[in-house]
Amino acid sequence: MPPNAAGRRHRPHLDRSLRGVLWVCAGAFLIHLIPLFLPRNMPEQELAIARALPTAEQRVQFLMPLREHPKATPAELREAAELLLEGAPGQARELAQEAERRDPNAVETQLLMARICDVERMDRCVNASLERAAQVAPNDARPDLLRAELREKDGDVSGAAESAGRAYGKAPADPLIGLRYVRLLSASRQGGEALKVLGRLEGSMPRSRLLVEQGRVHAQDGRDAEAIRLFRKAVEDDPRLGVGFFELGLAWYRLGNLEAAEEALRESDRLEPSNPKGLAALCAMQLKAGNIDGARLTRMDLERRFSGKQELIRQSCSMP
């Protein structure tokens, strides 16, 4: 028998096996393609496509038909409006209006409408939406929190504190709302009232975090020595509290102790290596103190570790 006869005898069998495998793969591929050619009749499919697109302009063609879609729920219409809020607020408002038509008593729709109107700078619409939200959910703190956010953004810190106070009155057991109220009170120079609210939050948050918040209130009022005492107690209670060391570093700097400030900020950076704020603050301090060589080294560290934070680096650590 010639030496290659056995190989020639088996090759047709192998070729047939290979063709069979290829046909199976091709069939599986076609099966996966079928859904792409079927008509899309579920709002979730349009939302899924829109989520994958990077801009509102690209999402519009998939989301606006949901306004007429009989199966689109108010929640789906709100999500569609959210996806268009930045870039196409007019279309977002149309979707939110349809969500309101389908469920007039949903406070979430009114809150979304207020945010859309704020983007469009329609103040009367903002106020009307927030008033409607308060009517449909009188015990819900969210309308007051949103009003506080919008007032603070407009520079009305006292008005923001007033709105946050109403939210806190509706949800006094919520520590996040309480802290929001505290910070706005402090920013509006109502430190005494802020400390009273913090006293009522005792037990609802870790003692170390409460001490940091108390220290921030004193620092806002210019009492940095008292703030340092509280920040030091906070990091003694929790030696891994990065924010405590960060605030301690800022307070030491304000009192002129640059060595202690640098030590605290470097400890903050060590505890929170993914947060650039400690090194950014340190670089700004070094520049103000005229320590250009130190600032240059700190900037190199920032650029090496936080290459995606160029604007923060530029603002805090711009070399002369």
Side-chain angles (χ1 to χ4, degrees), residues 185-264:
L185 284 170
S186 182
S188 60
R189 302 297 180 182
Q190 301 179 65
E193 186 60 32
L195 291 173
K196 289 179 183 178
V197 176
L198 281 172
R200 294 195 287 271
L201 291 175
E202 190 170 354
S204 64
M205 58 190 301
R207 181 173 180 270
S208 57
R209 294 304 300 257
L210 186 66
L211 289 167
V212 168
E213 295 301 329
Q214 290 172 337
R216 282 173 165 165
V217 173
H218 286 290
Q220 181 72 44
D221 286 347
R223 300 194 297 271
D224 281 307
E226 179 62 16
I228 285 174
R229 184 185 70 81
L230 292 164
F231 294 144
R232 292 179 72 175
K233 285 180 66 176
V235 298
E236 286 170 7
D237 275 14
D238 183 359
R240 300 195 60 78
L241 188 63
V243 66
F245 283 102
F246 177 77
E247 294 291 347
L248 180 60
L250 298 183
W252 274 128
Y253 175 76
R254 289 190 295 267
L255 286 183
N257 190 334
L258 302 185
E259 183 177 349
E262 179 171 349
E263 181 181 350

Side-chain angles (χ1 to χ4, degrees), residues 125-138:
C125 173
V126 171
N127 290 327
S129 298
L130 290 175
E131 288 170 6
R132 175 65 177 157
Q135 289 171 2
V136 299

Side-chain angles (χ1 to χ4, degrees), residues 42-113:
M42 295 300 291
E44 177 55 35
Q45 293 172 313
E46 308 300 327
L47 285 168
I49 295 171
R51 291 187 202 110
L53 296 173
T55 67
E57 289 76 10
Q58 293 170 309
R59 297 169 184 159
V60 164
Q61 62 176 314
F62 297 100
L63 297 177
M64 290 309 293
L66 297 184
R67 186 180 48 168
E68 310 294 337
H69 201 299
K71 294 183 180 180
T73 66
E76 288 169 334
L77 288 164
R78 285 194 296 270
E79 183 181 353
E82 289 273 5
L83 289 168
L84 297 181
L85 179 55
E86 298 298 332
Q91 288 90 335
R93 180 157 44 84
E94 292 180 31
L95 289 164
Q97 287 170 339
E98 179 59 23
E100 180 182 26
R101 189 188 68 78
R102 299 189 186 195
D103 184 3
N105 294 318
V107 65
E108 293 82 6
T109 302
Q110 299 303 325
L111 295 175
L112 175 59
M113 186 71 77

